[in-house]
Amino acid sequence: MMEERQFLQKMTSALSRYSTAEEARVLASGVRPQPGPRAGLEDKIARFADEVAELHKVEVIRAGNWDQARRHIASMLQERGVSSIALAGEDLKPSLPLWGKWKVAGDRDSTERAEVGVVQADYGLAETGSVVLVASKDKPRSVSLLPPVCIFALSVFGMLDSMAHLMKELEARHAKEGMPATVNVVTGPSRTADIELSLTVGVHGPGEVHVVLVG
Amino acid sequence: MTSKRTDFPKPKTITLFSTCLADLFYPQVRHSTRSLLESLGYQVTLPKDQTCCGQPAFNSGKWDDARPVAEAWLKIFAGAECVVVPSGSCAAMVRVNMGHLFEHEPKKLEAARELGSRTFELVEFLTYVHQDESIASRIPSEPLTYHYSCHQRELGLSGETEALLERSGVPCHELKGKDECCGFGGAFSAKVPEVSAAMLKKKLSNIQATGASCVVANDLGCLMNMECAAKKAGLKVGFKHIAELLSGKGS
Amino acid sequence: MTSPIGKFREKSREAMASPVLTKALKNATDKFIAGRTGTLPKLGDPIRLKDEARAVKVRCIARLDKLVAQFAENYRKNGGQVHFASDAKEAREILHSIAKENQVKLVAKSKSMATEEIELNHFLEGKGIQVVETDLGEYIIQLAKEKPSHIITPAIHKTKEQVSSLFHEKLGSPETSDISEMTRTAKKVLRDVFLTADMGVTGANFAVAETGTLTLVTNEGNGRMVTSLPRVHVAVVGVEKIVETLSDVPPLLKVLPASATGQKITVYFSIISGPRRPGETDGPEQSHVILLDNGRIDMLGSDYRESLYCIRCGACLNVCPVYQAVGGHSYGGTYPGPIGAVVTPLLHDEDAKYPAALPQASSLCGACRDACPVKIDLPRMLVSLRKDGVKKGESAFWEGLAFKLWAWAASSPSRFHFAAKTVRFLLKVPGLKGMAKVLPPGSGWAMARELPEFPEKFGWE
C-alpha cells in the first residue's frame, strides 16, 4: 500500500516539475471567490417564490408564524387523507397534540412507511428556490428522503441569497463548532433523464415537494 | 488569440503569405488576395521562397519535421511590417502554435511571437485593421452559404466574414451546423477516414438543404475537403474562398 | 489492422453501422444542442463564469499537495477515515478490506466514474459481494453488462425499446414504451437495495480541504440514499477533486449542472463531512475516503496538468463531432469524448483497449475547448500527446516516411517546387493516379472524396 507520506511527497515533486505563468498570476493575485451582493428580505422571498414556482411548479405557501404554519400543514395532510407521517424540526414540535390524528414515525422503519415527510429546513436559497437541511439527532436524513411527499417549512429569516452565501454561513459554523455531518441542499422533486434524455419526475427522493415559508 | 487588433496601425506594405494549399491547388486564391489588397491601396510583397508554415507536421505530432519548415517561414517573413494570410489555420499556426515548437529556443520563440503579433487572417485584417466595410459591395450576387472554419476559434474570430456577407446584400442562407467541423482536420481525413466521411456527409447534407449554389469559407483545407467530397457525391455546388469573392474575380 | 488507430476505426465502423446506436446518438445530440446554449447565460456572463471557475482550479491544483494533506487531516478530525491508493489495484483492495472488516454482503453504488476507472464492481463480485448500481443509467448498463458511454448519462446509447427489453429480460417486467413506467420498475427494485445495503459507495464531485468535506451532485436521490442508510460509506475520489475552501465550490458548482444537463442546479447537493455524529439516527457509522492517484500525480507534474481542471461535466462530449458520430464505447476506455482522448493515455486505465489511438481520433476542431466551462485547451493536449506518441515510436512507418519527405521538400523552395512538379507529373501517368487512391494516405482520402486536381500553373509559376 502506498504510504501516505510517499503519496504526498510524490505530489510535491510533481508540482515542482512544472508551472505556468497563469498559475503564478492567479496565485499572486490572491483573488478568492466572493459571494454576490445581499438582497433585502422581501426581495429574497420574492425571488425564492419565483424559482420554486418555475421549477417545482408549485406555489410557496406563506404563513405568518409557526402556529399558523403547523395548522396549515395539518390541513394539507388532512386533505390528502394520509395516515402516517414523519416529522422533524424544533418548531414543528412533533409532540404536539395537533399531530395526534396521524401516526408519527419514530424510527427509520416507520419513516420508510410514512406517506408524507414534514421537515423544518435550516436555510433557503433564493437564487435557486432550494431548501437547506442540516442533519442532526432531531432531524434525521431519512425524513426528507424516504417518504414520497415532502413538505418543507422554513423561517424567512433563514433565507439566503445563494449557494455562495450558504458556504460563508457554513464556514463560519465550521470555525465555531465544526462542520455538521451532512447538509443537503434540496431543489424540487427528484428526477432523472437517463433514458433517451426524457424527463421523469419522482425517482428515489420525494417526487412531490411543497414549501411553507414562515414569518 | 486575437484581441480584435483595431490598435494595429494600417501598414504601407503587406507581406502576403499565400499558403501551401493555395500555391499547390488553388493559385487563384493567392492571386485574388494579392489583387484585393493592392486594390485597397496596400503595397503587396509576395516572397517567392515561401512554402509552408509547418502546420501539417505540427498537428500530427511530428515536431522535429515541422521545425525546419517553421524556421524557414520565420526567415522568409522576418522584418515584415504586416503579414496577411487567407487562412485561419495558418494564421493560428503562426500566432498560437509556433511558440510550442520553439519552447526551448528563446531567440526563435521571440521571433515567432513578434511576427505572430503582426500576422492576420485576411478577413480579420480587413475588419479590424483596414476597417472599411464597403468592400462587401464587391461580392458578386449568387445564393451563398457560409461555413465557419474551425481554426478561427483559436484566433478568437466569429462573425466577421458573416458581417461582410450580410453587408453585401447578397442572398446568404444560414447553414445548419455552420460551425460544425467539415471533417478535414488535416491528416485526420486520411487516418480516420470513416469518421471524417460521416462528418462530411452531415455537412454536405446541410449544404444541400440551404439551396445555395456556392459555399463560402475562409480556409482552403475546408473548401478542398468539401469540394472533393461534393464531386464524388455528385452534389452540384460551388466552393469559393472569401478572397475570391472580395476581389471581384470570384464569378 | 492491428494498430491502435486501426482498432479504433474498426470499433467506430461497427458503431456507425448500427442504426439503433445512430438513432440514439442523434436524439441525444439534438437534445444536448437544444439545452446547452440556454442555461449558462441565464446564470451570468458565461465568460466571467468560466474565468472564475478556472481560476479556482488553477489555484487549487497548483497547491494540490498541501490541500490533499489538509483534506486528510480534516476528514479524520470529522471522524472519517482517509486512505491513499496509488493505483486501481490498491484502491480495490482497500475498499475490499473495508467491506470484509464490516461483513458487507451488499453494496449500493451511486454513480462514480472513478469507481468505473478502477473496475470495482467486477472485483467485488469476484469476492462474493453483491454490487448494485443505483443511478438509473448505471443500473441499466449494469444489467446489460456494459460500460458507461457518457460521463453524465451512462445509458445514452440505449433506446427506450432496448431498455424495455432489458428490463423485461432481467427483471420480468412487461414490455412498455412508457419511460416513466420503466423508471418506476427500477425504482421498486432499488428501493429495496437502499434499505438493505451494508455499504454505500460513491465518488465525489468536489472535496474541500479546509473543512474535510465531500460534495455530491445528484438528481435522483440515490446519492442521498447510499450516504444516509447503509452503515458504512466509502467514497473513491481522484485527488484532483480537492479544492481549498467551501467558498471555492460555488463557482464550480455554478457551471457544472449548466454544462452537464442544462440545469441551474441539480435536485440534490449533498455536503458530507464524515460519519454520523453521536446521537444521530441515520447517516453512516463509518465514512471512508479513498484518494486515488492512478496516473493523476504524474499528470500533475507535466503539461497535462490542465486536464486535471476537468469537473466531469461532459460538455465536451456533447459538442464533439467524433463523439456524435461514434458514441462513447468507441473510445474503448472508461472516459469517452475529448476529455477521454486526453486522459485515457495518461491514466492507468486497465480497461483501455487502444489508448494510443485516441489523440489521433480528432480533427482538432476545438468545439470542446469552446464548450468547456473551465476552458481546458484539449486540442493543445491532443497535439502534445501525438508528439509524445511520435517520440515513443508509436507512429506508423508510412506516415513517418511521408512527413520526412514533406519536411525535406517544404524546408526549401527549390525542393518544394520540384516535388510539386514531380507529383503533378506522376499523377498524370495512367495507373499511378489509381494507385494513389488505393494506397494510404490517398486511400483514406478517397473513401469519400475525389482526389484534388493540380492546377496548370502552381501559385509561384
Side-chain angles (χ1 to χ4, degrees):
Chain A
M1 299 286 162
M2 165 77 62
E3 290 276 1
E4 178 173 339
R5 210 165 20 102
Q6 259 181 293
F7 192 101
L8 295 170
Q9 186 50 49
K10 192 177 174 196
M11 294 192 76
T12 305
S13 305
L15 283 168
S16 67
R17 282 201 296 272
Y18 180 77
S19 66
T20 67
E22 181 187 16
E23 276 171 0
R25 233 182 15 248
V26 168
L27 291 170
S29 76
V31 169
R32 296 301 184 101
Q34 296 300 337
R38 285 171 210 263
L41 184 57
E42 283 312 312
D43 288 334
K44 283 192 285 191
I45 293 172
R47 184 152 184 216
F48 180 85
D50 285 342
E51 292 292 328
V52 170
E54 196 192 306
L55 182 65
H56 314 191
K57 313 276 184 263
V58 298
E59 297 298 319
V60 164
I61 300 149
R62 300 288 304 261
N65 55 51
W66 278 102
D67 195 49
Q68 282 179 25
R70 288 188 293 263
R71 271 198 258 268
H72 190 95
I73 292 169
S75 72
M76 283 170 79
L77 296 173
Q78 191 100 2
E79 258 173 61
R80 304 185 73 102
V82 298
S83 52
S84 58
I85 64 173
L87 275 173
E90 239 177 57
D91 295 302
L92 289 172
K93 297 195 172 14
S95 56
L96 278 186
L98 171 70
W99 307 116
K101 297 190 193 67
W102 297 279
K103 209 156 132 229
V104 177
D107 62 10
R108 199 224 282 196
D109 285 338
S110 46
T111 303
E112 206 275 313
R113 292 189 296 271
E115 292 157 277
V116 179
V118 186
V119 188
Q120 181 172 0
D122 296 82
Y123 306 99
L125 303 183
E127 185 179 61
T128 45
S130 313
V131 296
V132 183
L133 311 169
V134 179
S136 67
K137 50 184 164 57
D138 301 314
K139 199 144 66 192
R141 301 149 178 79
S142 321
V143 179
S144 60
L145 180 61
L146 292 175
V149 179
C150 193
I151 301 173
F152 296 107
L154 170 67
S155 159
V156 292
F157 300 110
M159 189 62 69
L160 301 174
D161 294 87
S162 72
M163 185 72 73
H165 293 89
L166 174 65
M167 292 309 189
K168 286 281 178 235
E169 278 289 322
L170 292 176
E171 280 170 349
R173 194 164 177 155
H174 168 250
K176 244 179 52 197
E177 58 196 48
M179 282 298 281
T182 305
V183 177
N184 275 296
V185 180
V186 180
T187 314
S190 63
R191 51 194 271 159
T192 182
D194 273 352
I195 301 176
E196 288 197 3
L197 292 182
S198 171
L199 182 65
T200 300
V201 175
V203 196
H204 307 300
E208 188 188 326
V209 302
H210 301 272
V211 184
V212 177
L213 275 186
V214 186
Chain B
M1 266 300 184
T2 194
S3 48
K4 314 264 193 257
R5 303 286 310 273
T6 48
D7 62 308
F8 192 88
K10 253 183 170 162
K12 280 216 195 58
T13 52
I14 290 177
T15 310
L16 178 53
F17 171 20
S18 51
T19 80
C20 61
L21 280 182
D23 288 342
L24 290 171
F25 297 106
Y26 297 97
Q28 67 271 34
V29 172
R30 168 182 173 127
H31 306 313
S32 299
T33 310
R34 176 186 209 146
S35 62
L36 164 63
L37 293 171
E38 278 172 346
S39 74
L40 295 176
Y42 300 99
Q43 212 173 25
V44 179
T45 326
L46 243 183
K48 48 182 192 43
D49 285 349
Q50 64 183 296
T51 55
C52 174
C53 61
Q55 189 188 182
F58 174 80
N59 280 348
S60 290
K62 308 268 196 289
W63 290 14
D64 290 341
D65 295 324
R67 239 173 243 112
V69 180
E71 276 167 19
W73 190 93
L74 284 174
K75 284 209 186 78
I76 290 166
F77 287 87
E81 190 187 350
C82 174
V83 178
V84 173
V85 55
S87 160
S89 64
C90 306
M93 177 65 201
V94 171
R95 287 225 296 262
V96 181
N97 292 317
M98 261 194 205
H100 293 306
L101 282 179
F102 302 120
E103 235 158 34
H104 305 294
E105 299 178 73
K107 277 220 194 84
K108 293 198 184 113
L109 181 61
E110 185 45 39
R113 285 221 179 106
E114 217 280 310
L115 247 185
S117 70
R118 288 181 276 125
T119 300
F120 298 91
E121 184 271 338
L122 174 63
V123 174
E124 180 187 22
F125 174 82
L126 294 172
T127 307
Y128 299 112
V129 182
H130 179 70
Q131 294 185 36
D132 180 5
E133 289 180 326
S134 67
I135 48 166
S137 58
R138 300 174 176 209
I139 298 174
S141 186
E142 135 170 58
L144 300 173
T145 189
Y146 177 68
H147 162 76
Y148 174 88
S149 302
C150 296
H151 282 280
Q152 290 192 74
R153 287 193 175 96
E154 272 162 283
L155 301 171
L157 295 174
S158 166
E160 290 84 359
T161 310
E162 285 137 295
L164 276 180
L165 292 171
E166 207 187 288
R167 174 78 196 255
S168 73
V170 165
C172 195
H173 305 274
E174 179 88 352
L175 177 64
K176 181 168 172 221
K178 69 180 172 204
D179 58 1
E180 284 170 17
C181 183
C182 68
F184 180 50
F188 175 79
S189 56
K191 285 182 79 165
V192 198
E194 295 88 357
V195 182
S196 173
M199 290 158 72
L200 258 174
K201 191 164 168 216
K202 199 176 173 198
K203 180 62 68 176
L204 291 183
S205 156
N206 287 338
I207 287 172
Q208 190 166 31
T210 64
S213 54
C214 178
V215 178
V216 162
N218 302 58
D219 265 61
L220 282 175
C222 306
L223 288 166
M224 180 171 79
N225 181 50
M226 293 187 290
E227 185 172 53
C228 293
K231 250 193 222 149
K232 178 146 187 169
L235 179 61
K236 301 266 181 290
V237 169
F239 293 86
K240 286 270 185 307
H241 190 281
I242 187 69
E244 295 177 85
L245 298 186
L246 287 172
S247 73
K249 290 184 175 156
S251 47
Chain C
M1 280 193 279
T2 50
S3 67
I5 192 67
K7 291 194 190 130
F8 172 85
R9 284 177 59 187
E10 222 173 271
K11 196 71 178 59
S12 72
R13 276 198 300 269
E14 242 175 69
M16 290 189 286
S18 157
V20 173
L21 178 60
T22 305
K23 174 169 170 233
L25 286 174
K26 177 160 197 322
N27 171 56
T29 301
D30 289 345
K31 293 213 170 104
F32 278 132
I33 289 178
R36 108 175 112 106
T37 38
T39 308
L40 211 55
K42 279 198 199 137
L43 302 172
D45 169 17
I47 294 176
R48 199 177 52 88
L49 290 174
K50 290 186 181 188
D51 283 341
E52 280 174 0
R54 186 180 171 92
V56 169
K57 291 301 290 189
V58 169
R59 174 169 47 86
C60 295
I61 295 287
R63 305 186 56 243
L64 198 59
D65 55 347
K66 304 272 183 317
L67 299 186
V68 168
Q70 196 184 12
F71 172 82
E73 188 190 328
N74 287 317
Y75 204 76
R76 288 169 179 151
K77 270 205 196 122
N78 292 335
Q81 298 178 54
V82 179
H83 315 262
F84 294 81
S86 61
D87 58 21
K89 181 158 177 285
E90 275 183 20
R92 291 192 294 258
E93 284 168 358
I94 293 168
L95 204 149
H96 177 239
S97 70
I98 297 169
K100 249 181 50 197
E101 255 169 59
N102 290 285
Q103 288 117 20
V104 168
K105 296 199 186 47
L106 175 63
V107 171
K109 276 196 69 213
S110 178
K111 196 174 109 58
S112 157
M113 291 304 290
T115 61
E116 288 285 348
E117 186 187 323
I118 65 170
E119 307 276 330
L120 181 66
N121 298 2
H122 186 70
F123 179 76
L124 289 180
E125 275 155 6
K127 301 282 187 189
I129 297 173
Q130 196 194 356
V131 181
V132 181
E133 292 284 352
T134 65
D135 170 271
L136 180 59
E138 285 281 343
Y139 181 62
I140 290 168
I141 61 166
Q142 184 179 39
L143 287 179
K145 295 200 178 13
E146 294 175 17
K147 296 216 72 170
S149 69
H150 191 283
I151 288 172
I152 301 294
T153 42
I156 204 164
H157 57 292
K158 294 232 172 282
T159 59
K160 61 177 189 281
E161 289 81 16
Q162 286 178 305
V163 176
S164 170
S165 304
L166 183 65
F167 282 6
H168 176 65
E169 190 202 339
K170 304 278 182 177
L171 307 173
S173 54
E175 293 259 20
T176 174
S177 60
D178 184 336
I179 289 176
S180 311
E181 207 183 305
M182 287 182 244
T183 306
R184 275 194 299 276
T185 299
K187 175 180 169 177
K188 267 202 294 256
V189 174
L190 295 174
R191 180 89 172 180
D192 207 49
V193 172
F194 293 132
L195 295 169
T196 57
D198 307 297
M199 177 190 268
V201 173
T202 68
N205 297 84
F206 309 109
V208 180
E210 188 177 68
T211 53
T213 300
L214 302 171
T215 68
L216 289 181
V217 172
T218 61
N219 275 311
E220 294 175 21
N222 60 323
R224 283 201 61 193
M225 289 284 193
V226 309
T227 54
S228 301
L229 305 178
R231 51 197 165 81
V232 183
H233 167 228
V234 182
V236 180
V237 183
V239 290
E240 83 281 12
K241 298 299 184 76
I242 297 175
V243 296
E244 190 177 346
T245 66
L246 286 174
S247 292
D248 284 332
V249 175
L252 298 173
L253 186 57
K254 217 166 191 173
V255 296
L256 171 57
S259 308
T261 55
Q263 292 176 282
K264 263 164 87 163
I265 187 173
T266 54
V267 179
Y268 301 105
F269 179 61
S270 308
I271 306 169
I272 295 167
S273 310
R276 64 165 79 168
R277 301 295 189 258
E280 286 177 13
T281 54
D282 55 21
E285 289 159 22
Q286 287 177 40
S287 181
H288 300 253
V289 175
I290 301 175
L291 291 175
L292 182 63
D293 171 7
N294 208 31
R296 289 161 174 76
I297 300 180
D298 284 336
M299 287 155 77
L300 190 61
S302 74
D303 63 357
Y304 300 113
R305 182 180 296 178
E306 194 185 10
S307 68
L308 298 175
Y309 298 171
C310 177
I311 60 175
R312 300 289 192 259
C313 73
C316 58
L317 275 67
N318 300 342
V319 301
C320 176
V322 175
Y323 181 90
Q324 286 172 14
V326 304
H329 289 153
S330 298
Y331 288 78
T334 303
Y335 301 97
I339 187 66
V342 170
V343 303
T344 303
L346 298 169
L347 292 172
H348 306 310
D349 186 354
E350 295 166 340
D351 190 49
K353 297 183 180 65
Y354 31 80
L358 300 181
Q360 298 172 61
S362 164
S363 67
L364 303 177
C365 77
C368 51
R369 177 183 46 217
D370 275 5
C372 179
V374 287
K375 295 165 41 168
I376 298 174
D377 192 346
L378 289 160
R380 169 187 74 80
M381 289 188 280
L382 290 170
V383 172
S384 199
L385 282 166
R386 292 176 183 187
K387 178 224 344 151
D388 290 347
V390 167
K391 284 213 156 63
K392 282 194 270 184
E394 283 166 7
S395 180
F397 172 74
W398 66 259
E399 199 191 327
L401 181 62
F403 276 106
K404 284 270 169 302
L405 281 173
W406 170 89
W408 170 83
S411 50
S412 139
S414 54
R415 293 198 295 253
F416 192 68
H417 298 174
F418 168 74
K421 276 209 193 76
T422 308
V423 174
R424 180 173 60 184
F425 172 74
L426 286 176
L427 285 182
K428 290 207 181 100
V429 174
L432 280 184
K433 185 165 188 178
M435 258 177 75
K437 283 196 195 177
V438 167
L439 297 169
S443 54
W445 178 268
M447 221 179 259
R449 290 162 276 248
E450 294 296 338
L451 290 183
E453 298 287 335
F454 280 114
E456 280 303 312
K457 282 196 193 291
F458 289 119
W460 59 80
E461 285 179 321

